């Protein structure tokens, strides 16, 4: 079965929305069309939720939160329900991988591996909540007794982008449900399919009606959702531009928020870096999913005197990356996910040339691909930190080599960005790498590679976001704290 037929056969109710524990007809007639990035053909349609559907979903989530069993259930029982969701998701791993690949064009070898993260997140938070300290007994400064209790923050809007649709949604849903929140999920309009599989698993796990609601839609309906007075918290993953807007809207009513936004992460090669050892991770994580990953290492900072050597080695390694049909297990890079992504990436490549960066590799469309939104892996050198390609998030397979004079210059250049999501430091001295990592203003840094572990906190400094997802910290953002005194 190919990815498209697997996707088409995976989803039971692709013409309905999941609201209040039932598969319901949408209020309007809008449609979302999923288009294959390989064939450029429509492969499936889903309903586009309208504002009336938002009202229904928020009302269902509100009822489930205000009067339903979920927030009042023991943490043990909520945990058990999450473990059941994990088991059901795990049983559908091949479908999850194929669904991701069919919609986004991410290589199947990668989606097969990373599709383990949604069940991992449900298992992790399912177990964590069972041992999490929700009540802290204290004696205060007036010798009074107090209990500091953590209570679920309420009804949460979970809004996610298209690049890693289910992984990003599950960070929010697994943590939010573990805390006792109820959720209205609005996946990206280009990739709604995975969330349908999640809704089916949540339903089959017996989670009470209204606790999870699914309303795929575009940004206008999303905007209505974030303004809805019934929403207590907005958990948003997407662009920094949308994040800034949503933060402003949320500020009006002081709705709780957490943001996972864009990035422009730097890989710093220290003077002693072993290039051969660095290449496998740099090649993989400078352009994962055709560069459409927030934490991609898109700026490579190299010492002036080793600039040419590192560039040559990287370009030679990137030339071996197999571009092709993402369903082929040998493919390492598929097409961009959509037409507008191709237009965007081509625009940045033109801008790089125009502003004087030197093209070291790629820059065009790969030969032999008449169809599909393919673009060549592209490397620019002699990039100045002031150039547009060094400053803006391209979200495509375009890497900028920037040279530095000394370590202070390297750190200054790494931090010369509005973003601060991830980063890497390559060196043979891990403790020195740690010292440099401490100077990089970003939410994570990996010494000698790139790791994002769902069981550890992930998130941004600066305009890459606020709050953290993953780990214990990712659960904490779904609680309010209450102090109860005994007078
Ligand atoms: P986007 O901001 O355009 O859209 C993301 C989601 O937000 C979509 O579901 C969209 O419909 C919705 N949306 C947009 N405007 C909205 C509004 N005003 N109100 C409510 N919903 C709204 O981003 P995109 O192009 O889909 O995704 C790519 C971006 O996501 C990149 O910047 C990337 O770095 C970022 N991203 C960040 C992370 C992270 O964890 N930090 C992970 C993946 C992607």
């Amino acid at each position: 079965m190919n990815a498209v037929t697997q996707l088409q056969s995976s989803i039971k109710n692709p013409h309905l929305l999941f609201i209040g524990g039932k598969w319901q007809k949408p209020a309007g007639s809008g449609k979302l069309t999923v288009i294959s990035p390989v064939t450029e053909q429509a492969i499936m349609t889903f309903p586009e939720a309208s504002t009336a559907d938002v009202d229904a979903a928020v009302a269902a989530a509100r009822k489930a939160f205000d009067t339903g069993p979920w927030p009042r259930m023991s943490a043990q029982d909520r945990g058990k329900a999450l473990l059941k969701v994990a088991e059901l998701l795990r049983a559908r791993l091949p479908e999850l991988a194929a669904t991701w690949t069919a919609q986004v064009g991410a290589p199947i070898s990668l989606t097969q591996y990373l599709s383990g993260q949604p069940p991992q997140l449900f298992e992790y938070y399912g177990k964590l909540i069972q041992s999490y300290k929700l009540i802290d007994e204290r004696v205060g400064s007036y010798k009074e007794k107090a209990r500091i209790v953590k209570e679920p923050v309420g009804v949460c809007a979970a809004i996610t982008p298209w690049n890693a649709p289910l992984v990003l949604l599950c960070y929010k849903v697994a943590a939010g449900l573990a805390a006792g929140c109820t959720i209205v999920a609005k996946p990206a309009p280009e990739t709604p399919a995975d969330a349908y599989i999640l809704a089916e698993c949540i339903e089959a796990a017996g989670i009470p009606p209204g606790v999870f609601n699914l309303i795929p839609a575009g940004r206008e309906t999303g905007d209505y959702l974030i303004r809805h007075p019934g929403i207590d918290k907005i958990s948003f993953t997407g662009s920094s531009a949308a994040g800034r807007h949503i933060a402003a809207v949320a500020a009006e009513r002081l709705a709780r928020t957490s943001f996972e936004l864009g990035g422009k992460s730097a890989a710093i090669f220290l003077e002693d870096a072993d290039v051969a050892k660095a290449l496998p991770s740099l090649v993989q994580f400078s352009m994962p999913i055709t560069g459409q990953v927030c934490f991609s290492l898109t700026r490579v900072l190299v010492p002036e005197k080793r600039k040419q050597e590192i560039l040559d080695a990287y370009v030679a390694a990137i030339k071996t990356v197999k571009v092709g049909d993402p369903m082929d297990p040998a493919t390492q890079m598929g097409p961009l996910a959509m037409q507008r992504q191709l237009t965007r990436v081509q625009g940045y490549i033109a801008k790089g040339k125009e502003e004087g960066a030197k093209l070291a590799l790629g820059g065009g469309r790969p030969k032999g691909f008449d169809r599909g939104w393919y673009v060549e892996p592209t490397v620019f050198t002699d990039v100045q930190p002031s150039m547009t390609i060094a400053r803006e998030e391209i979200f495509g397979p375009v890497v900028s080599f920037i040279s530095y004079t000394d370590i202070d210059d390297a750190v200054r250049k790494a931090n010369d960005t509005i973003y601060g999501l991830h980063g890497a430091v390559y060196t043979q001295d891990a403790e020195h790498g740690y010292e440099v990592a401490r100077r990089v203003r970003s939410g994570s840094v990996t010494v000698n590679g790139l790791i994002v572990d769902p069981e550890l906190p992930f998130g941004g400094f600066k305009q890459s976001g606020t709050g953290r997802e993953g780990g214990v910290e990712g659960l904490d953002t779904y609680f309010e704290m209450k102090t109860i005194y005994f007078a």
Side-chain angles (χ1 to χ4, degrees):
M1 205 186 285
N2 70 27
V4 172
T5 45
Q6 173 109 60
L7 161 63
Q8 289 162 342
S9 65
S10 280
I11 293 154
K12 288 199 202 96
N13 296 303
H15 51 294
L16 300 176
L17 304 172
F18 189 63
I19 297 175
K22 292 198 187 76
W23 290 97
Q24 301 206 7
K25 277 200 182 134
S29 58
K31 292 268 177 282
L32 301 172
T33 304
V34 176
I35 300 177
S36 161
V38 177
T39 63
E40 304 179 23
Q41 302 294 308
I43 50 180
M44 213 163 165
T45 58
F46 291 85
E48 179 181 22
S50 60
T51 53
D53 298 312
V54 173
D55 289 338
V58 175
R62 203 62 267 167
K63 187 170 165 210
F65 186 79
D66 293 337
T67 58
W70 188 252
R72 290 152 198 94
M73 199 180 266
S74 74
Q76 289 299 319
D77 287 347
R78 273 205 310 274
K80 272 189 215 152
L82 263 64
L83 295 179
K84 184 71 191 161
V85 177
E87 186 189 317
L88 293 163
L89 281 170
R90 196 159 279 132
R92 299 181 71 172
L93 278 181
E95 291 166 67
L96 298 182
T99 300
W100 187 351
T101 292
Q103 296 175 108
V104 179
I108 192 75
S109 57
L110 186 73
T111 58
Q112 276 167 343
Y113 172 66
L114 289 179
S115 290
Q117 287 191 352
Q120 181 187 356
L121 282 158
F122 272 89
E123 193 174 318
Y124 172 69
Y125 283 115
K127 285 184 180 161
L128 182 65
I129 196 64
Q130 293 181 329
S131 60
Y132 191 81
K133 192 168 187 181
L134 289 165
I135 303 172
D136 188 21
E137 305 250 7
R138 294 191 210 166
V139 176
S141 66
Y142 307 116
K143 308 282 180 241
E144 81 284 18
K145 283 188 184 159
R147 284 182 201 148
I148 320 305
V149 298
K150 287 188 178 170
E151 298 189 349
V153 72
V155 176
C156 303
I159 302 178
T160 42
W162 44 263
N163 58 336
L166 193 59
V167 172
L168 299 172
L169 185 59
C170 288
Y171 270 101
K172 303 178 187 313
V173 178
L177 293 188
C181 295
T182 62
I183 308 252
V184 177
K186 191 212 77 63
E190 300 88 355
T191 54
D194 329 58
Y196 275 75
I197 300 179
L198 175 63
E200 288 175 20
C201 293
I202 285 177
E203 184 186 25
I207 288 183
V211 171
F212 176 82
N213 305 274
L214 173 61
I215 49 162
R219 87 179 37 189
E220 278 169 31
T221 304
D223 209 69
Y224 183 78
L225 174 63
I226 59 160
R227 291 172 193 277
H228 204 295
I231 295 292
D232 299 306
K233 173 179 164 107
I234 302 162
S235 177
F236 177 80
T237 301
S239 60
S240 295
R244 285 189 294 266
H245 165 78
I246 293 169
V249 170
E252 285 290 318
R253 63 180 199 282
L254 289 177
R256 305 302 186 252
T257 51
S258 48
F259 293 101
E260 295 287 340
L261 307 173
K264 193 76 193 173
S265 299
I268 307 176
F269 276 75
L270 300 189
E271 292 202 354
D272 69 339
D274 182 330
V275 180
K277 282 196 186 146
L279 280 181
S281 62
L282 185 65
V283 168
Q284 188 181 359
F285 293 111
S286 51
M287 307 178 176
I289 314 188
T290 322
Q292 301 165 118
V293 173
C294 53
F295 56 71
S296 305
L297 299 169
T298 51
R299 294 181 298 145
V300 182
L301 300 188
V302 289
E304 192 67 53
K305 51 183 143 160
R306 294 190 66 193
K307 168 178 139 178
Q308 200 58 42
E309 171 213 342
I310 299 171
L311 176 71
D312 290 347
Y314 176 73
V315 165
I318 289 287
K319 276 184 184 165
T320 69
V321 168
K322 190 172 179 311
V323 176
D325 179 349
M327 269 310 277
D328 179 345
T331 292
Q332 293 165 292
M333 188 180 288
L336 289 160
M338 56 205 71
Q339 171 76 65
R340 75 164 193 274
Q341 274 294 105
L342 179 60
T343 309
R344 174 187 173 96
V345 171
Q346 286 175 322
Y348 277 110
I349 292 172
K351 194 88 181 159
K353 291 189 208 163
E354 195 185 300
E355 292 183 3
K358 223 164 81 193
L359 201 55
L361 184 73
R365 305 286 305 271
K367 290 196 181 60
F369 293 93
D370 308 332
R371 277 191 322 177
W373 297 307
Y374 288 90
V375 67
E376 285 180 315
T378 297
V379 184
F380 279 105
T381 189
D382 292 343
V383 176
Q384 298 305 316
S386 58
M387 291 178 181
T388 308
I389 56 168
R391 305 201 75 76
E392 295 184 10
E393 183 185 45
I394 298 174
F395 228 49
V398 182
V399 166
S400 293
F401 268 65
I402 300 169
S403 57
Y404 68 81
T405 51
D406 58 21
I407 191 62
D408 290 341
D409 190 36
V411 169
R412 193 167 45 245
K413 283 174 174 162
N415 290 337
D416 183 12
T417 168
I418 60 165
Y419 298 108
L421 195 56
H422 212 303
V425 180
Y426 288 102
T427 173
Q428 297 191 51
D429 177 348
E431 281 308 316
H432 185 212
Y434 170 79
E435 297 298 327
V436 176
R438 291 295 304 262
R439 297 177 65 188
V440 175
R441 301 274 301 152
S442 67
S444 325
V445 184
T446 307
V447 177
N448 289 323
L450 190 143
I451 302 173
V452 176
D453 180 343
E455 299 182 18
L456 295 178
F458 177 83
F461 279 27
K462 301 191 266 182
Q463 294 191 30
S464 284
T466 61
R468 292 293 177 268
E469 288 194 330
V472 181
E473 294 76 5
L475 178 61
D476 284 338
T477 67
Y478 288 91
F479 290 118
E480 290 279 13
M481 212 177 281
K482 181 187 281 178
T483 305
I484 301 177
Y485 291 100
F486 292 88

